[in-house]
RNA sequence: CGGGGCGUGGCGCAGUCCGGUUAGCGCACCUGCUUUGGGAGCAGGGGGCCGCAGGUUCGAAUCCUGCCGCCCCGACCA
């Protein structure tokens, strides 16, 4: 049994908090709301980064880096954008400290006040569009497709490791296009790239949709999103892709000369996913024993644990283990041999389960006699004994099967937690007793959306894409509705 | 910022109401022996400005005042 990990059924959020710490993913920092991402957690994030980065480049994007500090005045150039971010910005007002007069420590030097205060970026649209103005003159400069990996700061009141931290890591793509159609296409393309990543690598099914006005990114014309479902029935927005229209082009005066001699504002997009994905990954698949990582994102896919009484046994096991690791390496499978004699096998079993290593291979004296190993898979806890010769191909098969099976399990759970309702009473019942996504007709007004939120805490997660219009009447107001939308309580 | 809870070895806690031995327990850590197919056992050992600052008292982890920090619940948010 995992020591001290609360059960999901008893206290889901406690379970999550403990798991993040016990699995060595992250911990709190001295600064409230910030986190230290530990090596193991960062290794998972690095895998995500590497895969996404490749996908971005394959779709024609280049990486660049823009500064963390933004002149305060930039933020105020786009009206909705200011509105959206002003209340959660960290501000740099001074550039120097000095020894306190009474030598009691350091104080801010009042002499060193900045002429113009700087904000720590909550997102980079403003600096980037200010730069794009310099970079874009002609249709020949378009499209401009840039991505950056960065940290951003949003001064949140309540934070949770990975899910909502004051500082977080992310990537933000910012593109500029000559036509509206092309920008819209880019927005949807990146939504699809994210969707492919989340489904194929994180093994999490998503619902693609458009945000309602109240949930839309400040400054965007349309915000597209992918919504995922966690095991406690709450939804989590895994990524967003925004069609910015000409909002930022106008705010920062970014125009280009068209082929026929005209002068027009460019069309923009921006899109991002963050370390929040780590939270989704953890909450979606893990169990009461600890983390369950999809093989494609596990920093180490296989761990081999020797069971030995003496040096001779260990040596013999070592030879077998090294052989297996070599074979796995040829199949591009990462494996570790944990031959520490400071921990017992049972301790190691529990530890690697806590950390979500997909496949565990145990080799002991019995196996040496029989030419076998014991293989255990993390997601099902299933154990099998197999001959040493067939280990490598079998592991390859199991890893791929596991990736698939974890996805299917999440998909089944998700599908079982989409409930269509026709009345507000039903809506409240489902929300209270079952959770998950609730599909219902909505009259399209912010007023109704807000009232439902106030009464139930549930919000419209998205207006689904790829679902034909189906007229009906709003569950709250009874007014006509053109289609059903997804509601849920959300992270 | 409102409501609630909590600050005691690295971690988790007891002790605080009702002041008085040397501040205790579990885990972790160190040493030794025995162990090793699911978080080993025994023996020995190290580690504490009891959140901070004042006050009351012969005497404070314990009572009083002020401050600081953290967690949970709400308002805000990816």
């Amino acid at each position: 049994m995992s020591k001290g990990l609360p059960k999901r059924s008893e206290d889901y959020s406690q379970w999550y908090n403990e798991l993040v710490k016990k699995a060595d993913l992250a911990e709190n920092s001295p600064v409230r709301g910030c986190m230290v991402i530990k090596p193991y957690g960062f290794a998972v994030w690095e895998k995500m980064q590497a895969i996404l980065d490749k996908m971005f480049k394959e779709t024609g994007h280049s990486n660049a880096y823009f500064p963390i500090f933004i002149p305060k005045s930039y933020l105020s150039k786009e009206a909705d954008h200011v509105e959206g971010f002003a209340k959660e910005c960290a501000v740099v007002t001074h550039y120097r400290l000095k020894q306190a007069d009474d030598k009691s420590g350091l104080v801010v030097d009042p002499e060193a006040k900045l002429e113009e205060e700087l904000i720590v970026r909550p997102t980079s649209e403003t600096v980037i569009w200010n730069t794009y103005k310099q970079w874009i003159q002609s249709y020949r400069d378009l499209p401009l497709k840039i991505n950056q990996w960065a940290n951003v700061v949003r001064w949140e009141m309540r934070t949770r490791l990975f899910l909502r931290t004051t500082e977080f890591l992310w990537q933000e793509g910012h593109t500029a296009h000559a036509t509206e159609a092309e920008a819209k296409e880019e927005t949807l393309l990146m939504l699809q790239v994210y969707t492919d990543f989340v489904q194929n690598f994180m093994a999490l099914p998503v619902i693609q949709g458009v945000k309602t006005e109240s949930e839309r990114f400040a400054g965007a014309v349309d915000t597209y999103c992918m919504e995922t479902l966690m095991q406690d029935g709450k939804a989590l927005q895994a990524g967003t892709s925004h069609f910015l229209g000409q909002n930022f082009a106008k705010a920062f005066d970014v125009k280009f000369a068209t082929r026929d001699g005209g002068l027009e504002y460019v069309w923009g997009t921006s899109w991002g996913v963050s370390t929040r994905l780590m939270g989704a990954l953890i909450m979606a698949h893990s169990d009461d024993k600890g983390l369950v990582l999809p093989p494609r994102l596990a920093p180490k896919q296989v761990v081999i644990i020797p069971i030995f009484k003496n040096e001779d046994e260990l040596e013999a096991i070592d030879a077998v283990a090294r052989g297996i690791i070599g074979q796995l390496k040829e199949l591009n499978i990462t494996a570790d041999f944990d031959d520490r004699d400071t921990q017992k096998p049972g301790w190691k079993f529990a530890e690697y389960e806590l950390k979500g290593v997909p496949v565990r291979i145990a080799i002991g004296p019995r196996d040496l006699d029989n030419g076998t190993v014991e293989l255990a898979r993390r997601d099902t806890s299933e154990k099998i004994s197999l001959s040493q010769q067939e280990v490598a191909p079998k592991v390859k098969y199991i890893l791929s099967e596991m990736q698939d099976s974890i996805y299917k399990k999440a998909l089944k759970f998700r599908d079982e937690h989409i409930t269509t309702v026709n009345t507000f009473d039903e809506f409240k019942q489902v929300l209270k007793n079952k959770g998950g996504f609730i599909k219902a007709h909505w009259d399209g007004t912010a007023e109704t959306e807000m009232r439902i939120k106030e009464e139930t805490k549930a919000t419209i997660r998205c207006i689904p894409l790829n679902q034909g219009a189906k007229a009906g009447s709003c569950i709250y107001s009874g007014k006509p509705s053109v289609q059903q939308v997804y509601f849920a309580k959300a992270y």
Side-chain angles (χ1 to χ4, degrees):
Chain A
M1 283 294 99
S2 47
K3 265 185 185 166
L5 194 60
K7 295 200 187 326
R8 285 167 298 175
S9 56
E10 285 167 13
D11 191 340
Y12 191 82
S13 72
Q14 192 72 20
W15 164 81
Y16 173 82
N17 292 339
E18 291 290 315
L19 177 52
V20 168
K21 289 177 193 162
K22 293 209 157 87
D24 273 338
L25 299 172
E27 60 191 37
N28 284 303
S29 82
V31 177
R32 180 186 150 72
C34 293
M35 65 178 162
V36 174
I37 304 176
K38 299 178 77 175
Y40 190 61
F42 203 76
V44 177
W45 174 241
E46 280 181 314
K47 287 208 103 170
M48 292 182 173
Q49 277 188 301
I51 295 156
L52 284 166
D53 198 65
K54 185 159 171 262
M55 294 171 103
F56 298 154
K57 284 169 182 160
E58 281 167 359
T59 45
H61 302 87
S62 305
N63 283 338
Y65 185 78
F66 295 84
I68 189 171
F69 298 123
I70 300 177
K72 197 177 69 180
S73 58
Y74 281 25
L75 196 72
S76 39
K77 290 191 182 177
E78 210 289 331
D80 292 328
H81 199 62
V82 197
E83 183 88 21
F85 288 104
K87 54 190 177 300
E88 50 186 31
C89 284
V91 186
V92 180
T93 56
H94 293 75
Y95 58 85
R96 192 193 299 142
L97 296 172
K98 65 171 191 179
Q99 193 71 237
D101 291 341
D102 61 4
K103 301 284 179 209
S104 63
L106 292 170
V107 294
V108 173
D109 185 347
E111 301 288 303
K113 192 162 161 47
L114 286 171
E115 196 80 358
E116 178 175 7
E117 291 165 345
L118 302 172
I119 62 166
V120 180
R121 64 179 163 219
T123 178
S124 303
E125 273 76 5
T126 58
V127 234
I128 288 178
W129 281 91
N130 183 72
T131 308
Y132 280 6
K133 178 182 165 60
Q134 315 300 316
W135 290 0
I136 298 169
Q137 251 78 213
S138 141
Y139 71 89
R140 292 193 184 90
D141 299 322
L142 298 172
L144 182 56
K145 304 205 289 183
I146 305 282
N147 174 65
Q148 86 164 339
W149 290 95
N151 58 338
V152 288
V153 167
R154 296 180 188 173
W155 215 265
E156 302 289 350
M157 302 188 191
R158 288 192 62 194
T159 58
R160 291 185 73 193
L161 293 173
F162 290 121
L163 295 173
R164 175 166 297 107
T165 46
T166 298
E167 179 194 23
F168 57 94
L169 306 185
W170 77 347
Q171 62 60 221
E172 45 181 325
H174 297 271
T175 68
H177 307 264
T179 65
E180 175 176 17
E182 192 183 301
K184 280 186 168 168
E185 193 185 325
E186 166 79 3
T187 311
L188 288 170
L189 171 69
M190 296 324 286
L191 180 70
Q192 194 53 45
V193 164
Y194 286 155
T195 300
D196 290 346
F197 171 75
V198 173
Q199 298 196 151
N200 297 333
F201 290 87
M202 293 178 62
L204 248 184
V206 310
I207 292 173
Q208 296 181 327
V210 188
K211 286 295 188 187
T212 61
E213 189 184 346
S214 64
E215 298 270 330
R216 190 183 295 155
F217 173 72
V221 172
D222 277 313
T223 288
Y224 293 85
C225 62
M226 22 166 218
E227 294 287 326
T228 59
L229 189 64
M230 301 296 105
Q231 294 181 69
D232 62 348
K234 285 171 81 174
L236 187 147
Q237 177 179 303
T240 48
S241 183
H242 315 290
F243 170 62
L244 302 175
Q246 293 174 311
N247 290 352
F248 284 91
K250 285 177 179 165
F252 288 87
D253 194 35
V254 185
K255 293 181 196 157
F256 71 103
T258 61
R259 206 179 280 266
D260 53 13
L263 197 59
E264 286 176 18
Y265 286 114
V266 304
W267 299 83
T269 80
S270 69
W271 28 274
V273 295
S274 71
T275 36
R276 184 177 226 211
L277 287 179
M278 292 286 293
L281 185 68
I282 297 158
M283 283 200 292
H285 307 306
S286 304
D287 60 27
D288 291 346
K289 290 198 286 190
L291 208 57
V292 172
L293 291 174
R296 299 182 84 175
L297 289 179
K300 278 285 182 278
Q301 296 166 310
V302 177
V303 62
I304 303 178
I305 299 173
I307 296 158
F308 59 100
K309 287 194 173 65
N310 53 52
E311 277 300 310
D312 289 348
E313 270 179 11
L314 179 58
E315 256 175 56
I317 294 167
D318 188 276
V320 175
R322 300 290 167 200
I324 291 172
I325 286 175
Q327 291 166 29
L328 290 174
K329 197 171 178 185
E330 279 177 28
L331 298 174
N332 282 319
I333 297 167
T334 52
D336 258 355
F337 179 48
D338 185 352
D339 61 353
R340 288 176 297 172
D341 61 359
T342 50
Q343 313 291 357
K344 316 250 317 212
W347 189 93
K348 292 176 185 172
F349 290 177
E351 182 71 7
Y352 289 112
E353 278 162 3
L354 183 60
K355 292 197 165 185
V357 175
V359 168
R360 178 186 76 226
I361 295 172
I363 308 174
R366 284 209 303 265
D367 295 301
L368 290 178
D369 291 344
N370 304 331
T372 57
V373 303
E374 180 196 80
L375 188 151
R377 56 184 275 181
R378 178 61 184 87
D379 61 334
T380 58
S381 296
E382 186 190 350
K383 282 188 217 179
I384 55 170
S385 179
L386 70 167
S387 84
Q388 288 165 14
Q389 280 71 34
E390 53 179 341
V391 171
K394 185 76 178 174
V395 166
K396 185 182 167 73
Y397 170 78
I398 287 177
L399 288 174
S400 134
E401 207 281 320
M402 196 182 306
Q403 181 78 31
D404 201 42
S405 150
I406 291 174
Y407 176 79
K408 284 188 180 136
K409 190 178 167 195
L411 179 63
K412 180 164 180 284
F413 179 85
R414 202 274 312 267
D415 287 345
E416 284 169 0
H417 288 82
I418 297 178
T419 314
T420 302
V421 305
N422 294 304
T423 68
F424 193 49
D425 276 342
E426 228 185 312
F427 182 95
K428 287 187 280 193
Q429 281 304 312
V430 172
L431 198 63
K432 187 174 166 224
N433 301 323
K434 183 180 173 188
F437 289 112
I438 302 179
K439 225 171 148 179
H441 278 289
W442 165 60
D443 63 19
T445 67
E447 166 83 10
T448 297
E449 183 184 13
M450 193 190 72
R451 297 211 165 189
I452 292 177
K453 182 180 177 183
E454 278 170 2
E455 288 183 39
T456 66
K457 308 274 185 225
T459 50
I460 297 175
R461 299 322 303 152
C462 68
I463 300 159
L465 298 182
N466 320 317
Q467 277 186 30
K470 194 174 73 176
S473 55
C474 175
I475 52 156
Y476 190 84
S477 67
K479 289 182 197 160
S481 151
V482 293
Q483 68 169 324
Q484 291 175 322
V485 299
Y486 285 89
F487 287 86
K489 285 190 187 167
Y491 276 97

